[in-house]
Amino acid sequence: MLRQDLAQIANWIESDSRILDLGCGDGALLAHLRDTHNSAGYGIEIADALVLECVRRRVNVIQADLESGLRMFADAMFDTVVLSQTLQAMRNVESILREMVRVGRRGVVSFPNFGHWRHAVSLLAGHMPVTPEIPYQWYDTPNIHLCTPKDFELLAARLGLRITDRALLAGGQPVAVLRNLRASVAVYRFEKR
Amino acid sequence: MHFAAPLTLSSGAQLADYEVRYETYGTLNAQRSNAVLVCHALNASHHVAGTYADQPRSTGWWDNMVGPGKPIDTRRLFVIGVNNPGSCFGSTGPMSINPTTGKPYGAAFPVVTVEDWVNVQSRVADVLGIERLAAVIGGSLGGMQALSWAIQYPERIGHCIAIATTPKLSAQNIAFNDVARSAIQSDPDFHGGDYYAHGVIPRRGLRVARMIGHITYLSGDDMTERFGRSLRAQDYAFGYGAEFEVESYLRYQGEKFSEYFDANTYLLITRALDYFDPARAHSGDLVRALAPAQARFLLISFTTDWRFAPARAREIVAALIANGRVVSYAEIDAPHGHDAFLLEDPRYHQLVAAYVDRIAAELA
């Protein structure tokens, strides 16, 4: 079973694509795309245990720190560059988004929706939210750049990125009404304008 | 294994006739598809793993990596170790008798390159009836051979595992080699390389060469950790003997090395290191140099290796990616510098085991 945002991302990927998955974790998305979309590519991951998991799954993995950029990759090498559930933990949000559309024709990001109603309730009760999407205490969270879908759209516009697709999901399904409050995760596809 | 057919070397010189020592471990399967070549670095040999029955201290140089149940599992794979010509462990080298003179080659032994070694290894594979190697694996200079296999014989190698290696030596790397060679060449017992005839060995030079080399194999932090500024006695002796533990250690390493290694071989192998630069024939373009490669690659570097630093391995990875090759790369956070490739480290060994397991599974 793919995580809900990864399943959405996989839906957007055409067969025979070349994929770069930034922060690829255990390689689940790349393994899935290889098996179902005949798509090959590379994952970048920093954690030893996850690199090992990728090797076990026969996923091409490059152990590297995304913060130091994508210098290893030439312009327009990939059809799609994926950054799933990682943007919110990155120091250099703007530069990674720019890099994504440099090395790929398209970028895809997913991130937890900080504007979810449960988070708002938590804040109203006087606490930083700790939820299934953001399961960390404020003092030991890797998430330093949380945002809402609207916030992301503003940044994308400022960086000259054209959003071509958007999915606001809860429980693996698109949310129809009160999306910005009810979606637990946001997934965007974009390209350079 | 004896070869009577002459081998033309990169230099244009020929080895008319030569002997190659090798060892194998495990069993070659019926399809002859499970052979893995393990390439040695500067001071090692064909004796990769295991211990000779009559010599309890003869454990192979990569025994922690190769063997039954080890990451390179000889229960599933047929592992071949080849002593490269020019080395001093049984294959033809400077110590061997030159058939044209009846005396040891000495200084007359031709300079050989990584590419020449790969050609010899391919001949060994021919004789063993192995059309295609499941993998070629090596660390440091051995990693260069693995890379060169992928370039020289793309159709004969399934996987290339290159560890703690570099696409070419830096000026600093060459400089260290030159200091080591100068130490040997300036030893009065060197006699221009023909010391065998004089019944002597340039042991002092060899000792210093090894001491210099050894410093580059360790990380600064590792040296601090192991030796710090510890003295062997209680206090300074106000002299120039081996007072610090690190001095004593290096001298011991140099001494031990000078007892079993040949000085001409040291010159020759460090030169082979200097010359390795597959991009040179392509105006320095490593992407083009690696274009013929078809193998699937695993590259591994170690964070504290300043001899062949992770940045050098990344150059290889980037060039392979630019060629659209199948490649994985791991940067192991190990404290031991360049030597880490020979040492046991669970993350490193698990990774190699997982990758090799993949290779073995493909064969089944």
Side-chain angles (χ1 to χ4, degrees):
Chain A
M1 243 323 251
L2 275 184
R3 215 170 59 203
Q4 61 173 336
D5 58 318
L6 298 183
Q8 176 60 56
I9 293 167
N11 279 338
W12 284 339
I13 303 236
E14 291 138 25
S15 288
D16 307 307
S17 290
R18 294 189 52 77
I19 313 292
L20 179 64
D21 186 359
L22 307 175
C24 67
D26 62 7
L29 178 67
L30 285 167
H32 176 78
L33 294 174
R34 174 194 61 209
D35 298 341
T36 63
H37 288 58
N38 191 36
S39 291
Y42 306 93
I44 297 187
E45 179 52 55
I46 193 164
D48 293 331
L50 295 172
V51 168
L52 178 63
E53 205 45 50
C54 288
V55 167
R56 290 205 172 114
R57 285 177 183 240
R58 304 174 186 227
V59 161
N60 291 333
V61 61
I62 310 297
Q63 188 164 26
D65 184 359
L66 289 179
E67 300 287 3
S68 52
L70 304 178
R71 269 168 307 192
M72 203 179 259
F73 303 96
D75 294 358
M77 281 184 79
F78 298 97
D79 296 307
T80 302
V81 181
V82 176
L83 182 70
S84 67
Q85 296 287 4
T86 303
L87 188 71
Q88 76 278 3
M90 290 208 56
R91 199 171 297 276
N92 297 306
V93 169
E94 293 167 73
S95 67
I96 195 70
L97 290 171
R98 281 196 206 96
E99 279 286 86
M100 285 173 76
V101 290
R102 176 183 69 81
V103 302
R105 287 196 300 121
R106 288 182 156 143
V108 174
V109 297
S110 70
F111 54 85
N113 174 20
F114 195 68
H116 191 277
W117 64 267
R118 257 197 316 257
H119 300 157
V121 167
S122 225
L123 288 168
L124 284 171
H127 292 289
M128 283 296 283
V130 180
T131 62
E133 286 71 40
I134 315 177
Y136 301 100
Q137 293 293 340
W138 65 273
Y139 48 82
D140 71 348
T141 179
N143 299 328
I144 52 174
H145 285 132
L146 288 159
C147 69
T148 69
K150 281 184 178 172
D151 291 332
F152 179 77
E153 287 167 28
L154 279 174
L155 176 63
R158 200 163 69 68
L159 295 176
L161 306 176
R162 194 171 76 83
I163 290 169
T164 56
D165 303 271
R166 179 178 77 166
L168 298 175
L169 307 172
Q173 296 301 318
V175 180
V177 286
L178 295 175
R179 288 187 298 197
N180 289 332
L181 280 177
R182 290 177 56 219
S184 59
V185 57
V187 195
Y188 284 90
R189 180 152 73 145
F190 53 89
E191 56 195 28
K192 218 185 295 187
R193 215 192 314 265
Chain B
M1 194 181 280
H2 184 81
F3 292 89
L7 180 77
T8 303
L9 304 170
S10 305
S11 63
Q14 275 203 343
L15 266 185
D17 195 70
Y18 57 98
E19 191 70 31
V20 177
R21 279 286 290 279
Y22 72 101
E23 275 180 21
T24 68
Y25 315 84
T27 313
L28 187 61
N29 64 15
Q31 303 81 34
R32 298 176 172 271
S33 63
N34 67 335
V36 167
L37 174 68
V38 172
C39 303
H40 69 77
L42 201 155
N43 64 324
S45 71
H46 54 287
H47 182 44
V48 176
T51 307
Y52 300 130
D54 50 339
Q55 299 168 47
R57 298 186 56 166
S58 63
T59 305
W61 61 272
W62 221 5
D63 192 68
N64 61 25
M65 186 65 93
V66 179
K70 309 254 173 90
I72 300 171
D73 191 346
T74 51
R75 292 175 307 194
R76 302 165 83 184
L77 299 166
F78 178 68
V79 173
I80 308 165
V82 174
N83 186 218
N84 291 320
S87 180
C88 50
F89 299 102
S91 293
T92 299
M95 291 164 80
S96 313
I97 300 297
N98 182 347
T100 55
T101 63
K103 291 182 193 151
Y105 278 101
F109 195 84
V111 171
V112 294
T113 63
V114 167
E115 287 77 7
D116 296 331
W117 285 331
V118 168
N119 286 332
V120 169
Q121 291 159 5
S122 81
R123 288 185 169 191
V124 172
D126 292 342
V127 174
L128 295 175
I130 296 158
E131 181 106 3
R132 183 181 157 91
L133 293 157
V136 180
I137 305 176
S140 190
L141 175 58
M144 294 175 180
Q145 293 159 56
L147 281 181
S148 213
W149 260 94
I151 297 170
Q152 289 174 253
Y153 297 99
E155 69 294 343
R156 293 193 72 178
I157 148 176
H159 292 263
C160 170
I161 304 181
I163 303 167
T165 197
T166 174
K168 59 173 187 261
L169 260 58
S170 67
Q172 188 192 41
N173 293 146
I174 295 170
F176 275 114
N177 282 348
D178 188 51
V179 176
R181 282 191 296 265
S182 296
I184 291 169
Q185 289 168 314
S186 60
D187 186 320
D189 285 339
F190 182 62
H191 296 288
D194 293 320
Y195 45 86
Y196 316 103
H198 295 79
V200 291
I201 292 169
R203 188 164 273 176
R204 284 159 291 181
L206 202 48
R207 235 182 259 150
V208 175
R210 180 58 170 179
M211 287 168 76
I212 293 157
H214 209 90
I215 296 168
T216 70
Y217 304 150
L218 305 179
S219 73
D221 286 346
D222 190 31
M223 273 187 149
T224 301
E225 174 85 10
R226 285 163 72 172
F227 310 109
R229 293 180 49 83
S230 298
L231 293 168
R232 298 178 66 214
Q234 290 285 43
D235 206 350
Y236 294 160
F238 296 96
Y240 303 102
E243 293 183 37
F244 290 92
E245 287 291 355
V246 67
E247 295 176 304
S248 154
Y249 171 81
L250 278 180
R251 288 180 194 201
Y252 171 74
Q253 290 296 331
E255 187 59 39
K256 205 172 66 170
F257 186 71
S258 73
E259 282 163 15
Y260 74 83
F261 208 80
D262 177 55
N264 280 318
T265 290
Y266 201 92
L267 301 186
L268 181 145
I269 294 188
T270 53
R271 199 42 129 188
L273 276 159
D274 295 349
Y275 282 170
F276 182 70
D277 181 8
R280 187 168 180 265
H282 305 274
S283 322
D285 186 347
L286 188 61
V287 176
R288 272 167 56 207
L290 284 166
Q294 295 299 320
R296 283 170 280 173
F297 289 82
L298 173 65
L299 279 105
I300 299 175
S301 72
F302 300 93
T303 48
T304 55
D305 182 354
W306 56 275
R307 181 179 169 88
F308 299 154
R312 315 308 309 282
R314 275 186 236 124
E315 291 171 28
I316 301 167
V317 174
L320 290 168
I321 290 171
N323 278 305
R325 293 278 78 85
V326 171
V327 52
S328 283
Y329 169 61
E331 219 164 273
I332 309 284
D333 187 9
H336 303 294
H338 187 61
D339 253 0
F341 89 90
L342 292 168
L343 302 175
E344 254 186 280
D345 176 294
R347 281 160 303 178
Y348 167 42
H349 278 202
Q350 276 170 17
L351 191 88
V352 174
Y355 194 88
V356 171
D357 186 56
R358 232 166 96 162
I359 298 174
E362 283 165 15
L363 301 168

